[in-house]
Amino acid sequence: MEPPDPRNLVPPGRTAPFSVFVGLVLVVAVLLSVGPMVSFAGTLPDLPAAFWTMAVLAVACDARPFLPPGRRPSSSAVFPSTCFTFAILLGWGLGPAVAVQAVAVLVSGARMRHTPWRVAFNAGQYACALAAAYAVTRLGPGGIFDGGRLGWTDIAAIGGAGVAWFVVNYGLVTTAVRLRFGERWWPNARHGLPFELLSTGSLLLLAPVLVTAARASAALVPLVLVPLFAVYRMARLTVEQHQLAALDPLTGLPNRKALLSEVNEQVHRHAERAARGEPGARLALLLIDLDRFKNVNDALGHAVGDRLLVEVSARLTDVVPAPDLVVRLGGDEFAIVMTGVDDVTEARALADQVVRVLAEPVPLDGLPLDVGGSIGIALYPEHGEDFATLMRHADVAMYDAKHRNDTVAVYTAESDHNSAERLGLLADLRRVLDAGAAARSAADTPGEAPGTRDGDTTPVVRGGDGAALTANPVVRQRGAGRWFRRRHRPPVVASDDELIARIVTGADPILRRTARPVDPAAVPGEPWSGPVGAHRPGDEGTPFAGAAIGGDPAGDAGEITMYYQPQVAIATGEVVGVEALLRWRHPRRGMVDPEELIRVAEQSAVMRLLTRRVVDDVVEQLAKWSAAGLGLRAALNVSVRDLHTGEIADQIADRLTRYGVAPERLQLEITEGALMADPRRVLTTITRLHRIGVGIALDDFGTGYSSLQHLRRLPLSEVKVDRSFVLGMTEDSDDAAIVRSTIELGKALGLRVVAEGVEDEKTWRMLHAAGCDAAQGWFYARPMPAEELVAWLGRYRPVRPLGGHDEPDVPRRSPR
């Protein structure tokens, strides 16, 4: 069923003011035209044939008005009667012009199914416009077409009359639109003004020519139909071209251009609906992408793929009710514009119907083709208030559905990896990396070997921040204190505000430890009831706590530092290595979540700069520790992009040589997900690193679905049990069994096994009983900067499990 024309309806709550306005227009029109109409009735027998010819043509032409291209029937149409009635006004006065215009309005109103009140208003607005034009002509010398020669004053009067007709007519129409449709009347009126000036102005300017021709002979009047018909045909061709430009040639559905126009128009309508407090004030944009269309194209050819798209478009058209719009964007992407939505559940319901329709196989040439689709939903105004934003957010939701192996997803900011906030974070990350690179270049003087200066026999080692630190020639024994002097810290300005002082203290781990009241249990050497080497109260804190106070948002992107978490041999309690963890203290966001940091960086070339910075910092820190007599092994994580390019192998080899660090002191951790992304390229890079002498550890083992065949082929030295299994092994027998099996598998392959996420003593003892080699977690120590790590090592005492390998009791699952 065709929806009713909105211009025949008056929105609730606006009936009274609009009705008053319509009534006033009709009253004014009657008062202005009643006298001329009475006079016109008495002159009917004396009117010439030229008048009757123009009157018939005016009524006949308005039976088929011209609709502007791209506009709906609810918008203003172009009525050719304007040309004839204005010519009648100039030649025979106001009464005949109003009478002919009223008849033409009745005919066009019946043809376009206008309501009676709308027909009456149209007749009234034209009567007022003709009266204004007639008044302007009376300001001239009078008798414009009485047979005399036209002068400049006559021409000026005709031009002024045309302007008066247009201003009054357009002003009455826009006022009526404002009273009916709210505050957005002016953008719509301004948008339509150029077209109205061109179309209506051309008809008004043709009227004097028509009157002049009528003076010569009435037979010349119909000749005006030739240029009018030519203009009409040109306009029709333009309409058809606009329609073809807005249609997809394969499926016949509207295309992206039509979608843009439809969404922009519907956004305005729904904004007006929301302002009036009406239901259905939301608009849903559904973006559909076929899942296996490329397989059909590759296997059966593009001709079959085109037939499949035609069938899919037919199914979408059948399932989507009017007046919702189905659009083909290109390729295997479609879109649906759903109007009058109250909440997202309605859009989800339609999306589920579309999914069910697409899930049914499409039979082509006796072969059932299974495609399916993923749908992303964006809702106006929650997810965007314009076409570009809604389209981008629907696209984000659609890819989110694909990544989650789901069929339908609604846009959420969390799934938008390219949001303005994350793009700003990416820009800040590049700034802080560029600043660090500039500082490093300034610190390294050309001609000097790294870590030494001419004429100075004392080794100079540079830390990750580029600061030169002189190593103590006397190597202190473990437990005797710090290996290095603490980096000079800027003075902390005390605040009179107690709350601000507490925030500043809580954000800085060193100030937090200094300000905490001394607890005998936290002082090295004092009795401590917990396990030796376990987490003492004085070591508590979180690397994510607190936010940087101050900082210039425009010029300060924060500071990137490396934190290190000890890895401890379970059997002996000896610290055998550390894992290097990246931390970024942002001036406004505080400590940035490391997962978000990597996720943002991996989407761009910034990942390469970040990896270079991490490798430089870790290798320099190893050189610094070596110069002080500390032989720790450091493990660092690398991304998928690093393993695919292979550039990381050259960089590590160069840094190890430059700083004189033994390759076995460095270990790279790769995840199963990175391995499975492209096993061949990853294996090539790993093999090169193995030949250099760098250790390779498989991180998060058990979470990436890698096969044992890959595990056997990789040159691994270590397997790390994922923390998700370790954390639950004391409460879940399945997790405990997975951990034990992983340890046994690693032992059988000759690999060292390290458990992550060791949080308590019971887990630690269970790992010892299972034969795990090493562990890391908060049971031993939190991640900390290099300086704090040295201090922690100074007071650390090895932890050795007592007794044999008896495994503590683990809750067993009830029999199934």
Side-chain angles (χ1 to χ4, degrees), residues 101-127:
Q101 186 69 74
V103 176
V105 167
L106 287 173
V107 172
S108 63
R111 176 72 171 78
M112 301 181 68
R113 300 178 183 179
H114 291 170
T115 55
W117 69 261
R118 184 174 174 186
V119 173
F121 174 77
N122 288 340
Q125 84 183 45
Y126 282 123

Side-chain angles (χ1 to χ4, degrees), residues 490-710:
V492 178
V493 180
S495 173
D496 296 332
D497 193 321
E498 180 182 356
L499 178 59
I500 295 179
R502 290 172 58 189
I503 293 176
V504 174
T505 303
D508 192 315
I510 297 179
L511 289 178
R512 183 170 62 247
R513 186 169 57 251
T514 304
R516 184 184 291 109
V518 178
D519 186 349
V523 179
E526 294 295 329
W528 166 236
S529 58
V532 180
H535 227 159
R536 302 189 179 192
D539 295 333
E540 291 175 353
T542 171
F544 302 102
I549 304 299
D552 181 9
D556 181 16
E559 179 185 7
I560 284 183
T561 56
M562 298 304 300
Y563 278 53
Y564 300 90
Q565 186 172 36
Q567 295 177 340
V568 180
I570 297 178
T572 64
E574 180 185 2
V575 178
V576 295
V578 293
E579 180 180 1
L581 303 171
L582 186 65
R583 297 292 182 264
W584 179 19
R585 185 181 293 277
H586 194 273
R588 297 182 303 280
R589 300 182 49 166
M591 279 292 187
V592 179
D593 185 353
E595 292 186 2
E596 181 180 7
L597 170 59
I598 298 301
R599 186 165 55 245
V600 168
E602 280 186 328
Q603 305 298 322
S604 69
V606 174
M607 191 69 223
R608 176 175 172 270
L609 301 177
L610 185 61
T611 300
R612 181 178 294 272
R613 170 68 178 271
V614 170
V615 171
D616 287 350
D617 285 3
V618 172
V619 174
E620 289 186 33
Q621 187 62 60
L622 287 174
K624 178 179 178 181
W625 284 335
S626 296
L630 182 60
L632 289 176
R633 181 186 70 249
L636 59 92
N637 295 274
V638 291
S639 71
V640 179
R641 292 172 66 100
D642 300 324
L643 297 174
H644 284 181
T645 62
E647 180 184 348
I648 189 172
D650 297 330
Q651 180 188 358
I652 289 177
D654 175 74
R655 293 304 184 270
L656 292 175
T657 303
R658 180 182 180 186
Y659 293 103
V661 176
E664 59 270 15
R665 296 277 306 284
L666 186 65
Q667 178 173 280
L668 297 189
E669 296 184 357
I670 63 172
T671 62
E672 288 189 79
L675 171 63
M676 297 304 296
D678 193 339
R680 292 186 179 181
R681 296 169 66 182
V682 171
L683 181 59
T684 301
T685 303
I686 291 176
T687 302
R688 292 182 57 193
L689 291 167
H690 176 68
R691 290 173 182 171
I692 295 172
V694 175
I696 305 296
L698 186 60
D699 197 7
D700 300 338
F701 182 69
T703 62
Y705 309 105
S706 62
S707 66
L708 295 180
Q709 181 181 3
H710 287 126

Side-chain angles (χ1 to χ4, degrees), residues 428-560:
D428 288 344
L429 179 58
R430 178 178 287 275
R431 286 167 52 204
V432 72
L433 291 174
D434 290 342
R440 189 183 303 276
S441 299
D444 291 334
T445 305
E448 297 178 1
T452 61
R453 292 186 182 275
D454 296 339
D456 187 359
T457 58
T458 304
V460 177
V461 183
R462 298 193 178 277
D465 55 0
L469 300 173
T470 304
N472 192 334
V474 180
V475 179
R476 301 187 180 184
Q477 300 296 323
R478 181 174 297 174
R482 303 177 184 271
W483 280 269
F484 301 99
R485 294 190 298 270
R486 184 180 301 277
R487 184 189 306 171
H488 175 69
R489 296 179 56 84
V492 178
V493 180
S495 173
D496 296 332
D497 193 321
E498 180 182 356
L499 178 59
I500 295 179
R502 290 172 58 189
I503 293 176
V504 174
T505 303
D508 192 315
I510 297 179
L511 289 178
R512 183 170 62 247
R513 186 169 57 251
T514 304
R516 184 184 291 109
V518 178
D519 186 349
V523 179
E526 294 295 329
W528 166 236
S529 58
V532 180
H535 227 159
R536 302 189 179 192
D539 295 333
E540 291 175 353
T542 171
F544 302 102
I549 304 299
D552 181 9
D556 181 16
E559 179 185 7
I560 284 183

Side-chain angles (χ1 to χ4, degrees), residues 248-304:
D248 174 55
L250 176 63
T251 62
L253 293 177
N255 59 13
R256 184 182 291 269
K257 181 179 179 180
L259 177 65
L260 170 62
S261 176
E262 176 72 11
V263 171
N264 287 336
E265 181 176 349
Q266 292 295 341
V267 161
H268 290 165
R269 290 190 177 187
H270 285 71
E272 294 164 358
R273 189 176 298 175
R276 296 191 296 267
E278 298 177 1
R282 288 178 172 81
L283 169 73
L285 178 61
L286 285 68
L287 192 61
I288 308 168
D289 184 80
L290 303 183
D291 288 337
R292 289 169 289 277
F293 177 74
K294 185 177 183 300
N295 298 337
V296 175
N297 259 350
D298 294 343
L300 304 178
H302 290 277
V304 176

Side-chain angles (χ1 to χ4, degrees), residues 58 80-90 93 97 100-101 104 130 165:
S81 63
T82 300
C83 170
F84 298 102
T85 56
F86 192 64
I88 292 173
L89 173 74
L90 296 177
V100 173
Q101 186 69 74
L130 290 170
W165 188 100

